[in-house]
Amino acid sequence: MQYIGRFAPSPTGPLHFGSLVAAVASYCDAKANQGQWLLRIEDLDRPREVVGASDDIIYTLQAYGFVWDGDILYQSARSTAYQTALDELKLQGMVYPCTCSRKTITDTAEQKGIEGAIYPQTCLHQTIDLNKTPAWRFKTPDQETRFNDMALGLQSQQVATEIGDFVIKRADGLFAYQLAVIVDDAAQGVTHVVRGADLLTSTARQILLQDALGFTHPIYRHTPIVMNTLGQKLSKQTQAEPLPLDSVSTHLCRAFDFLTLNPPAYLVSATSNDCWEWAIQAWPASSSI
Ligand code: GLU
Ligand code: ZN
């Protein structure tokens, strides 16, 4: 089987140690399986994008010795593909327009799910206000979605009751991450998705969309999330420090250590090439295919 992996950062700020761990895991998994490793910049949400963040991320990845295959794919150039997928879902009657405001939803929702109010399907059962540009929601089926995570084992989620009918295109015209990510994973032939466990609760939604569009499912592996001393996930919101561009080997070794690869002490003063060579052979490749 041909292995295609990827790293898909959102340019909302510089890379931090948490993003390094996710990148290292997907890179080692791809390389240990003689696979390709693609880089995709998920710059879908232009308003939330930080100017210069894409270039900064690319520069940092290069400084850490990551080498990607082919051209970088930018989601900002992919609207036509996302619209085609949405149109297909419309044809199949698997989505419906929604003109509810956020406030109406929180005021009328009776159930709370893992990501806030469960949309009470108001617009599924009433004619919508044609003067407003609608958002588009995916009609979630009444069934459990299961998948076997390579690191965490069998996972299951009832998307209808735990998340609800989720938005795949917002009223302001922006496509949602859930749709864009599966359209691009399919278009790029991605076979293995290795990413942080903060995205574990998104996977069932992505599997439902893949089923609806007739896409094959990649193999998923979710890696542990890095926390700060306050027990918060490292992120831009928790002011995670940007990855420094010096002492690259030290930070790579910290990432290897976090991923329980147990790097030898001498590696921190070795070159980044030596670090990679060591990590790729140390990575438990066979457990991931
Ligand atoms: N762009 C997403 C993020 O930075 C990751 C998408 C993915 O790996 O599926 O959180
Ligand atoms: Zn609505």
Side-chain angles (χ1 to χ4, degrees):
M1 181 191 189
Q2 150 88 310
Y3 183 118
I4 302 181
R6 50 56 159 196
F7 179 54
S10 305
T12 48
L15 289 182
H16 50 73
F17 184 66
S19 15
L20 178 66
V21 166
V24 164
S26 72
Y27 196 71
C28 286
D29 204 53
K31 295 296 157 187
N33 288 292
Q34 291 80 45
Q36 290 182 49
W37 188 76
L38 312 179
L39 178 59
R40 180 166 77 227
I41 299 289
E42 301 211 318
D43 54 351
L44 264 184
D45 193 347
R46 281 346 259 286
R48 270 189 60 214
E49 193 173 329
V50 172
V51 180
S54 295
D55 291 345
D56 190 74
I57 288 171
I58 294 164
Y59 188 81
T60 306
L61 288 171
Q62 275 168 334
Y64 274 74
F66 290 92
V67 182
W68 50 89
D69 293 290
D71 292 336
I72 301 174
L73 187 72
Y74 287 85
Q75 289 195 324
S76 54
R78 299 273 300 148
S79 302
T80 315
Y82 308 146
Q83 187 61 47
T84 304
L86 174 62
D87 290 344
E88 172 68 27
L89 294 170
K90 285 186 197 174
L91 271 179
Q92 294 185 34
M94 299 182 100
V95 290
Y96 60 93
C98 168
T99 52
C100 297
S101 67
R102 195 176 294 235
K103 182 166 183 335
T104 316
I105 298 172
T106 40
D107 288 353
T108 55
E110 282 165 7
Q111 308 291 333
K112 213 168 145 38
I114 52 179
E115 288 186 4
I118 302 237
Y119 180 63
Q121 299 188 313
T122 325
C123 292
L124 183 61
H125 304 298
Q126 71 181 20
T127 42
I128 61 156
D129 181 350
L130 292 172
N131 295 314
K132 288 188 190 159
T133 308
W136 288 87
R137 288 184 182 272
F138 184 73
K139 213 192 285 175
T140 50
D142 240 346
Q143 74 202 28
E144 219 163 9
T145 301
R146 290 162 170 250
F147 66 98
N148 195 22
D149 185 277
M150 286 300 123
L152 306 170
L154 187 64
Q155 305 291 311
S156 93
Q157 189 183 67
Q158 174 108 18
V159 180
T161 56
E162 295 179 51
I163 305 278
D165 291 351
F166 53 95
V167 169
I168 58 171
K169 187 181 189 183
R170 294 179 2 188
D172 63 7
L174 285 183
F175 289 95
Y177 156 68
Q178 306 294 355
L179 181 69
V181 76
I182 63 111
V183 169
D184 288 341
D185 282 339
Q188 296 188 285
V190 169
T191 59
H192 290 69
V193 171
V194 179
R195 62 185 178 191
D198 51 328
L199 293 163
L200 186 62
T201 54
S202 288
T203 307
R205 271 170 279 182
Q206 294 170 15
I207 288 173
L208 289 179
L209 290 172
Q210 286 157 354
D211 281 341
L213 289 162
F215 297 161
T216 53
H217 306 299
I219 290 169
Y220 288 96
R221 180 189 185 108
H222 290 87
T223 57
I225 304 166
V226 184
M227 305 284 187
N228 63 20
T229 48
L230 300 172
Q232 302 162 316
K233 176 183 109 113
L234 289 197
S235 70
K236 291 114 202 174
Q237 288 74 34
T238 58
Q239 280 86 45
E241 261 175 68
L243 274 180
L245 294 174
D246 59 350
S247 342
V248 162
S249 298
T250 305
H251 299 290
L252 282 175
C253 284
R254 273 180 66 212
F256 300 159
D257 197 45
F258 184 83
L259 290 163
T260 68
L261 294 179
N262 303 319
Y266 76 85
L267 215 55
V268 291
S269 37
T271 64
S272 59
N273 266 348
D274 289 342
C275 287
W276 283 120
E277 209 174 293
W278 179 87
I280 290 161
Q281 61 75 32
W283 187 260
S286 54
S287 67
S288 65
I289 19 181

